[in-house]
Amino acid sequence: MKQITVVGAGKIGSTIAAMLAATGDYTVSLVDRSETILNALPKRAGVTPRKAEIGADGALAPLIADSFAVLSAVPFHMTTSVASAAVANGVHYLDLTEDVASTRFVKSMAATARAALIPQCGLAPGFISIVANDIASQFDSLDSIRMRVGALPQFPSNGLNYSLTWSTDGVINEYCEPCEAISDGQLVSVPPLEEREEFSLDGVLYEAFNTSGGLGTLCETLADKVRRLNYKTVRYPGHAAIMKLLLHDLRLRARRDLLKDILEQALPVTRQDVVVIFVTVSGMKGGRLVEEIYAKKIYNRTADGIDCSAIQLTTASAACAVLDLLAEGQLPQQGLIKQEAIPLATFLENRFGAVYRPA
């Protein structure tokens, strides 16, 4: 049994803790600064709730000292505190953050870390880089890689055509921060909410637009190897226009706390959601221009007795799969590990990665 510390007892963190404990191979300390949140969680064998001021100096050290790994499921602005504590204590570190600045901070510590540092272990960033890089590796030369991911209500019922399915802070952050991309072979920064496009999958019309962080480290990995590489978030048509009105015309980009309060008071939470994953890679194979596509929809369901929304299921399963591979010795035990360095076949063979297997 390996001891794991999950920091952050929100929707995703609590699901990760429950999934790991359900295997019988892990015991989990679930840490949060809110006693109210911890007390509201269902009691599960193998999961021990612990209260701590996550951002306070030294607060995490006694909780993680004997852990095999620390997994950060806190809001993006607290990621660096958890990462610093893990590195200082020589403990393996994983996180879910989409925040570019936080990931750069984690990467800066990798050269001297005594354990493995694996940022961006969720759906996007995370699995999306694993599948895109695997498809890309099958080409003689690359032209374009387009990655599209969205977590959506199955039954949209408001003007935004959206429901809160995960971190509100995370959604706002990815709508506000610059986005990395490769255009004409050059690394560029593009504005969020722009370059809108539409596509149809299974007869349903979607829109997609630039958001920050979904590419993870893929731009760095594929620099000088691809003409065009970009990531866009998937929503139902009309969403981007309203968010641009709120963020730019009403200037709520500079008042994120107010925007968060508005969204959380106005948008319902739903567990009846769907995750849409759509990756296209084009390039040369055997002297011909070829396109390969990975497309999948994943719906909410019960997994190991845990009632999961689709975004909980996909994000938590991806993080658990990477942790499982690390614990099994299938990943390096020291330094920075990029998501795209994880073989897709190995990921899909894992008990948690099975969520992403083709039907």
Side-chain angles (χ1 to χ4, degrees):
M1 300 252 313
K2 285 184 165 60
Q3 171 65 33
I4 308 298
T5 300
V6 176
V7 185
K11 299 182 186 74
I12 306 300
S14 59
T15 304
I16 290 171
M19 284 183 169
L20 291 174
T23 66
D25 296 326
Y26 301 98
T27 58
V28 183
S29 291
L30 182 56
V31 180
D32 202 279
R33 61 182 181 180
S34 171
E35 195 165 355
T36 301
I37 289 176
L38 292 172
N39 290 338
L41 294 173
K43 302 295 186 291
R44 297 187 184 277
V47 178
T48 303
R50 298 184 184 276
K51 183 179 182 299
E53 287 299 329
I54 297 166
D57 289 343
L60 287 176
L63 299 177
I64 68 176
D66 298 324
S67 296
F68 170 76
V70 174
L71 198 152
S72 174
V74 296
F76 72 92
H77 56 271
M78 303 178 74
T79 299
T80 55
S81 296
V82 183
S84 296
V87 170
N89 287 272
V91 177
H92 296 308
Y93 170 81
L94 302 88
D95 70 37
L96 307 170
T97 190
E98 80 291 341
D99 184 59
V100 174
S102 298
T103 300
R104 287 173 180 162
F105 178 83
V106 173
K107 288 168 62 179
S108 72
M109 299 188 291
T112 57
R114 292 173 284 159
L117 304 184
I118 319 179
Q120 305 177 318
C121 295
L123 165 62
F127 174 75
I128 192 70
S129 292
I130 297 173
V131 70
N133 193 57
D134 178 81
I135 298 173
S137 69
Q138 302 168 26
F139 285 75
D140 300 325
S141 63
L142 293 169
D143 180 64
S144 70
I145 301 175
R146 300 187 303 157
M147 302 151 67
R148 310 291 184 257
V149 176
L152 303 166
Q154 292 184 49
F155 313 107
S157 60
N158 55 63
L160 274 171
N161 289 320
Y162 188 67
S163 296
L164 295 176
T165 56
W166 69 296
S167 166
T168 312
D169 287 309
V171 171
I172 295 171
N173 189 60
E174 70 176 17
Y175 285 0
C176 291
E177 297 300 315
C179 315
E180 291 182 331
I182 293 176
S183 179
D184 292 326
Q186 302 296 314
L187 180 63
V188 296
S189 179
V190 295
L193 295 173
E194 298 297 336
E195 299 182 0
R196 180 184 174 278
E197 65 190 30
E198 290 189 348
F199 71 95
S200 180
L201 182 62
D202 295 337
V204 180
L205 184 64
Y206 301 101
E207 69 177 16
F209 47 86
N210 297 336
T211 54
S212 177
L215 282 174
T217 54
L218 206 55
C219 279
E220 176 184 306
T221 298
L222 295 180
D224 303 321
K225 296 179 181 178
V226 64
R227 182 180 64 86
R228 182 177 62 175
L229 168 64
N230 56 48
Y231 171 87
K232 297 182 181 182
T233 285
V234 177
R235 297 288 186 256
Y236 295 116
H239 182 89
I242 297 175
M243 290 310 304
K244 288 172 74 172
L245 169 68
L246 294 171
L247 288 164
H248 301 305
D249 295 349
L250 298 184
R251 302 184 182 181
L252 292 179
R253 180 178 178 178
R255 304 178 69 185
R256 295 192 191 185
D257 287 343
L258 176 58
L259 178 57
K260 177 182 177 180
D261 185 60
I262 291 171
L263 293 178
E264 292 187 342
Q265 295 299 320
L267 295 181
V269 174
T270 183
R271 303 185 73 82
Q272 295 173 289
D273 62 337
V274 56
V275 164
V276 178
I277 307 170
F278 191 70
V279 179
T280 63
V281 181
S282 66
M284 301 300 293
K285 279 188 180 183
R288 298 185 62 185
L289 182 64
V290 176
E291 182 178 68
E292 299 286 351
I293 297 173
Y294 174 96
K296 190 171 182 63
K297 289 183 178 180
I298 300 174
Y299 294 87
N300 62 297
R301 64 178 174 84
T302 299
D304 296 322
I306 306 161
D307 186 20
C308 296
S309 67
I311 189 61
Q312 282 177 296
L313 178 66
T314 51
T315 305
S317 294
C320 289
V322 175
L323 177 58
D324 227 17
L325 295 176
L326 181 67
E328 292 169 355
Q330 296 194 60
L331 297 178
Q333 302 293 298
Q334 187 174 3
L336 180 72
I337 301 174
K338 297 179 179 179
Q339 293 297 311
E340 57 268 24
I342 301 171
L344 177 62
T346 302
F347 182 95
L348 294 177
E349 287 168 4
N350 180 268
R351 54 185 167 181
F352 295 110
V355 166
Y356 289 95
R357 291 176 191 165

